[in-house]
Amino acid sequence: MLALGLMLASIALYSVVNPPVTMTMLGEWWRLGQTHRKWVPIEAIAPVMARSVVAAEDANFCQHWGFDVAAIRAAIKDGAGRGGSTISQQVAKNVFLWQGRSWIRKALEAGITPLVELVWSKRRVLEIYLNVAEFDTGVFGVHAAAERYFSTTPDKLTRRQAALLAAVLPDPKGRDAARPSAFVSSRAQAIADGADTIRADGRTACWE
């Protein structure tokens, strides 16, 4: 009960207070000796960046309560090569848990995700995701990523730059937004088109 109470208190606190650090950040700091991150409010992030991340990671973000059942079924059908985690699940994992594929972590993630959805707005979920996601080795959040890859700030990211950043998220240590491979470049174009689509059909309404 104590652990549950602390978790609920943390979720409530982070609805208004920015998470100072995550286990992943601490692990990378321990391994590398440094990490790069600067919090930036969603109002100071180019809208196309948020749209690109949603198009890439969770196109139905506004339409679910934390779990995209169709995506989970597709992931099970396709096997381990495809992910079914929503942005809400990724935020629950990144903020409160650790990386890895253990059943214990997945069970905790499944319990935390609906609580996050209940307490936080969709806009807050997306804001935190954009500030804690890893975009390169030891580079966390869109502010550090924009500086590292493009020597710019999040509010000035272009459509192409935003799509490239979103394209590296599944493999931040193996993909490079500044020098994209043919695959990453092609993926970024698909993400940019997807970002336009979800804006046109109203799937950005829950945060814009």
Side-chain angles (χ1 to χ4, degrees):
M1 291 298 293
L2 178 59
L4 177 60
L6 289 173
M7 179 58 65
L8 290 171
S10 296
I11 292 171
L13 179 65
Y14 289 159
S15 67
V16 292
V17 175
N18 301 328
V21 71
T22 68
M23 289 187 188
T24 304
M25 292 176 192
L26 288 172
E28 287 295 84
W29 179 83
W30 181 263
R31 185 175 71 88
L32 301 170
Q34 64 176 347
T35 56
H36 303 278
R37 180 206 183 198
K38 181 179 179 181
W39 186 277
V40 59
I42 197 168
E43 293 82 8
I45 300 172
V48 71
M49 183 67 226
R51 292 195 294 268
S52 295
V53 165
V54 172
E57 297 290 296
D58 185 6
N60 295 319
F61 177 64
C62 287
Q63 300 172 326
H64 62 66
W65 48 275
F67 304 97
D68 188 335
V69 176
I72 292 171
R73 286 173 178 165
I76 293 171
K77 181 180 178 181
D78 293 350
R82 174 172 177 164
S85 293
T86 64
I87 284 176
S88 303
Q89 288 175 270
Q90 293 182 55
V91 165
K93 175 187 68 177
N94 290 339
V95 174
F96 299 106
L97 302 171
W98 61 93
Q99 302 299 316
R101 294 181 177 274
S102 72
W103 286 108
I104 293 175
R105 187 194 63 73
K106 291 298 291 185
L108 290 171
E109 177 188 303
I112 295 170
T113 297
L115 296 175
V116 165
E117 281 273 336
L118 180 65
V119 177
W120 300 354
S121 67
K122 288 284 191 177
R123 186 176 175 87
R124 181 60 171 168
V125 171
L126 190 53
E127 179 179 53
I128 290 179
Y129 179 79
L130 287 166
N131 278 283
V132 302
E134 188 174 18
F135 287 88
D136 191 6
T137 301
V139 176
F140 294 91
V142 66
H143 193 290
E147 286 185 339
R148 167 65 64 86
Y149 285 120
F150 305 118
S151 299
T152 190
T153 51
D155 59 313
K156 294 182 172 64
L157 286 167
T158 67
R159 178 176 181 268
R160 175 66 175 173
Q161 290 170 341
L164 284 166
L165 289 180
V168 307
L169 284 170
D171 185 13
K173 292 178 172 64
R175 300 181 184 181
D176 191 322
R179 292 178 293 277
S181 64
F183 171 79
V184 170
S185 184
S186 175
R187 175 64 180 145
Q189 183 57 56
I191 289 170
D193 293 342
D196 293 341
T197 298
I198 64 171
R199 185 186 189 188
D201 66 21
R203 279 182 287 168
T204 63
C206 66
W207 82 84
E208 287 192 333

